[in-house]
Amino acid sequence: MSTAHGTDAVHDMIVVGAGFSGLYMVHQARDELGLDVVGIEAGSGPGGTWYWNRYPGARCDSESFYYCYTFSKVLLDEWDWSSRYPEQPEILRYLEFAADRLELRRSFSFDTRVESATWDDEGARWIVRTDTGRTLAATYLVTAVGCLSAANVPDIPGRDEFEGQWFHTGRWPHEGVDFTGRRVAQIGTGSTGIQAAPVIARQAEHLYVFQRTPNYTVPARDRQMDRDEWVRIKSRYDEVVRATKASFAGFPYTPSSRSALELTDEERNAIYEALWEEGGFKFLWGGFFDLLLDERANETAAEFIRSKIRSVVKDPDVAEKLCPKGYPYGAKRPPIDSDYYETFNRDNVTLVDVSDGGITRITPTSVQARHGHHEVDTIVFATGFDAMTGPLLCMNITGRDGLTLAEKWADGPTSYLGLQVAGFPNLFTITGPGSPSVLTNMPTSIEQHVEWIAGCTDELRQRGHRVIEATREAEDAWTDHVAEVSRFGLFNRADSWYLGANIPGKKRVFMPYVGGLANYRARCDEVAASDYEGFLVSA
């Protein structure tokens, strides 16, 4: 480490974030490449998403045996998950274990936020200012801030006049929240709300679930896993890793070659029934290949889920309000749940349908909707995030010629491979817009990005180059390709956060790449092998 005029320290690389991606990036840069790297993290310790998301019921929705690092045999051998879908505390312990086993904490500045990051063209480096008053410089700036970390708290009239407590699920108090004897309003029924509602309902005096758009959800079927099962899984881990890397979405499932339309109703429903009992994302990916390609095929799955809702929820009016209609299954992030629909059979749970008027106001003691108001003591905003772009824009990033990232993305995010943005040299965005990211098992996508960035920066060093920047032509071509493939299939048939539809005023652009993780990985490898085609490299 050295210092220079106007800075407290100069490094080879600054990594922002200490979740799955930030920890691995620091490990690769420091331990594999020998770079002088510093990590910056707003939290008091490692964990990223799992440090902040401590809401009731928070758990991963990928199965634990592949929701993990695969780069290290030591980490694989020394950690056994307790269940199929671990809850937040266990995932946080895992990331703390990884950080400690790899001795990564010493390379991070915790309790530190980036206030701005500015490209210094003359010095060919990034100048990063933090809320602790420090100014750092580095050749490379790598954002490892996650896709879902900028909380979206809706600006409902009267919100700040509420006399009770309110919380956002993405910024949950570390000491927890006691709902005993409380009347609770939960606003939002996306993945987070679907996980939280059953747990809150078991403790609260009464839970009001405010639903604008009903969601398709499939049971997780979580269960405990014993040591013998882990011995069997670990004996074939090489096979699991190969399968995740070669798959469409990072899941080690054998893809189906069947169409949902080629079977009789009885045959098809038997497959759906088996997948429903097994639980998890396999319902979407493991039964038929065309659920996200053909509306008629998709409707067979959608109607099966609706039939399950009607069979579980005892009140037919409530069941019908919970039945999603008007958009395809899987076009929004498909949640998995533990007793979500069963929760609406409880006497202390009320579904409040706000589809035809929304929430009109929050008063000091209630939440008002078009068809009435509900007196509550606590409000839980399960309203998600400003996905993918929000975490990056929060850092006030400025590239060449004073162009801010916010200005660059005013009409929607653009990128080359989701890894770089033209006009922002040496800035790498792990799982950025334009990459498969949120459509996949995230650790699989994260490892691919980190390894590509490490390989790229190592190649530059060996050649004696310092600067790499995506060309505008490559960025335009890739952004057009991302948009083109998003129109192939059903992903664009719903108002989802994939499009930014949950953020008022946000330009609607389909942000993740839907061409598949295996195809994407091949394209990234091809670019690297072709002398980093689409990038300008200079000394």
Side-chain angles (χ1 to χ4, degrees):
M1 180 183 71
S2 61
T3 59
H5 180 68
T7 62
D8 297 298
V10 179
H11 304 274
D12 295 321
M13 181 183 289
I14 294 172
V15 177
V16 185
F20 268 102
S21 51
L23 293 176
Y24 187 30
M25 189 72 251
V26 167
H27 169 66
Q28 276 282 329
R30 188 193 72 182
D31 301 327
E32 301 299 326
L33 302 183
L35 298 183
D36 175 6
V37 58
V38 63
I40 298 174
E41 167 56 44
S44 299
T49 291
W50 300 106
Y51 176 89
W52 299 106
N53 285 338
R54 299 169 183 245
Y55 61 86
R59 65 172 72 237
C60 64
D61 51 14
S62 292
E63 291 184 70
S64 58
F65 75 93
Y66 55 86
Y67 191 79
C68 58
Y69 289 126
T70 63
F71 69 87
S72 166
K73 190 173 187 301
V74 170
L75 297 182
L76 288 172
D77 286 346
E78 293 185 6
W79 185 270
D80 291 353
W81 296 100
S82 67
S83 66
R84 190 181 178 197
Y85 296 102
E87 292 186 281
Q88 176 271 335
E90 185 174 5
I91 302 172
L92 180 59
R93 288 197 302 273
Y94 170 75
L95 290 167
E96 291 171 337
F97 153 75
D100 292 337
R101 192 66 178 80
L102 300 174
E103 299 182 358
L104 296 174
R105 291 183 196 252
R106 60 185 169 86
S107 293
F108 277 89
S109 293
F110 294 107
D111 295 308
T112 304
R113 288 186 181 273
V114 171
E115 290 194 332
S116 68
T118 304
W119 174 250
D120 170 17
D121 209 27
E122 183 179 351
R125 61 186 182 177
W126 283 95
I127 307 298
V128 175
R129 292 177 172 82
T130 73
D131 65 351
T132 63
R134 299 190 73 212
T135 299
L136 309 177
T139 305
Y140 302 108
L141 175 61
V142 181
T143 62
V145 291
C147 299
L148 302 172
S149 59
N152 170 39
V153 181
D155 188 17
I156 300 171
R159 183 194 66 196
D160 295 335
E161 300 167 16
F162 184 62
E163 294 176 353
Q165 293 180 304
W166 67 261
F167 308 94
H168 187 280
T169 50
R171 291 292 181 268
W172 204 255
H174 287 198
E175 66 274 15
V177 178
D178 185 0
F179 294 109
T180 304
R182 313 291 286 179
R183 298 163 300 173
V184 181
Q186 176 184 299
I187 300 173
T189 55
S191 296
T192 297
I194 283 171
Q195 288 185 334
V199 182
I200 296 174
R202 289 197 288 270
Q203 190 180 61
E205 176 184 309
H206 202 95
L207 172 65
Y208 297 94
V209 178
F210 288 77
Q211 173 190 271
R212 182 179 59 184
T213 306
N215 217 327
Y216 298 98
T217 178
V218 171
R221 308 295 186 203
D222 187 37
R223 58 173 176 77
Q224 295 296 298
M225 300 174 71
D226 60 23
R227 180 60 187 162
D228 289 343
E229 184 169 6
W230 277 110
V231 169
R232 292 194 297 272
I233 289 172
K234 291 180 180 183
S235 70
R236 58 182 184 88
Y237 240 129
D238 289 346
E239 175 189 336
V240 171
V241 173
R242 282 194 300 270
T244 58
K245 290 182 176 181
S247 69
F248 182 84
F251 302 120
Y253 307 147
T254 302
S256 173
S257 59
R258 292 177 303 220
S259 166
L261 302 176
E262 69 184 38
L263 304 179
T264 66
D265 291 350
E266 184 178 351
E267 291 169 332
R268 182 173 54 246
N269 285 338
I271 292 170
Y272 284 142
E273 193 66 51
L275 292 170
W276 184 268
E277 289 305 313
E278 184 175 350
F281 279 146
K282 201 169 182 180
F283 188 90
L284 179 62
W285 301 109
F288 304 100
F289 77 86
D290 52 356
L291 294 189
L292 288 171
L293 300 175
D294 185 283
E295 285 191 68
R296 294 178 303 152
N298 188 280
E299 180 58 21
T300 66
E303 184 53 36
F304 180 87
I305 295 173
R306 288 192 286 264
S307 73
K308 287 295 186 181
I309 297 169
R310 294 173 183 126
S311 69
V312 170
V313 180
K314 295 175 182 177
D315 185 320
D317 291 335
V318 174
E320 210 54 39
K321 288 175 182 177
L322 287 166
C323 284
K325 302 182 184 73
Y327 70 93
Y329 165 56
K332 292 174 180 273
R333 171 80 173 180
I336 60 175
D337 72 90
S338 298
D339 299 325
Y340 177 66
Y341 294 125
E342 290 84 351
T343 296
F344 293 94
N345 292 329
R346 297 178 62 102
D347 293 336
N348 70 328
V349 175
T350 299
L351 178 67
V352 183
D353 180 8
V354 294
S355 60
D356 64 346
I359 294 170
T360 57
R361 186 169 188 82
I362 295 174
T363 76
T365 60
S366 71
V367 177
Q368 293 184 347
R370 182 178 177 184
H371 301 297
H373 78 281
H374 302 273
E375 296 284 331
V376 296
D377 308 298
T378 305
I379 300 174
V380 173
F381 289 104
T383 45
F385 302 89
D386 183 357
M388 303 195 73
T389 57
L392 295 168
L393 297 178
C394 284
M395 289 189 289
N396 300 310
I397 298 172
T398 303
R400 287 192 192 274
D401 303 319
L403 179 68
T404 68
L405 190 60
E407 292 167 338
K408 169 85 176 185
W409 284 356
D411 292 323
T414 58
S415 75
Y416 183 36
L417 301 174
L419 280 161
Q420 270 210 348
V421 180
F424 295 79
N426 289 9
L427 171 67
F428 293 97
T429 54
I430 298 177
T431 61
S435 71
S437 60
V438 293
L439 299 178
T440 69
N441 174 50
M442 286 299 288
T444 306
S445 284
I446 285 167
E447 288 190 336
Q448 186 260 330
H449 261 196
V450 168
E451 289 159 11
W452 194 94
I453 293 167
C456 175
T457 53
D458 189 44
E459 181 75 14
L460 291 180
R461 276 201 314 159
Q462 291 184 31
R463 295 184 188 182
H465 296 308
R466 293 188 66 200
V467 179
I468 184 167
E469 179 182 355
T471 68
R472 296 192 186 280
E473 294 78 12
E475 178 184 74
D476 289 344
W478 181 255
T479 301
D480 289 345
H481 176 59
V482 171
E484 179 185 13
V485 296
S486 76
R487 293 189 287 270
F488 180 71
L490 305 180
F491 280 106
N492 262 317
R493 307 291 180 85
D495 288 334
S496 71
W497 57 256
Y498 296 151
L499 286 157
N502 62 321
I503 304 298
K506 186 172 182 176
K507 182 76 172 180
R508 294 198 180 191
V509 173
F510 198 88
M511 294 180 283
Y513 177 63
V514 303
L517 184 57
N519 290 336
Y520 174 81
R521 180 188 294 272
R523 178 58 184 150
C524 290
D525 290 347
E526 181 183 288
V527 166
S530 302
D531 202 24
Y532 292 95
E533 175 189 4
F535 291 94
L536 288 176
V537 178
S538 62

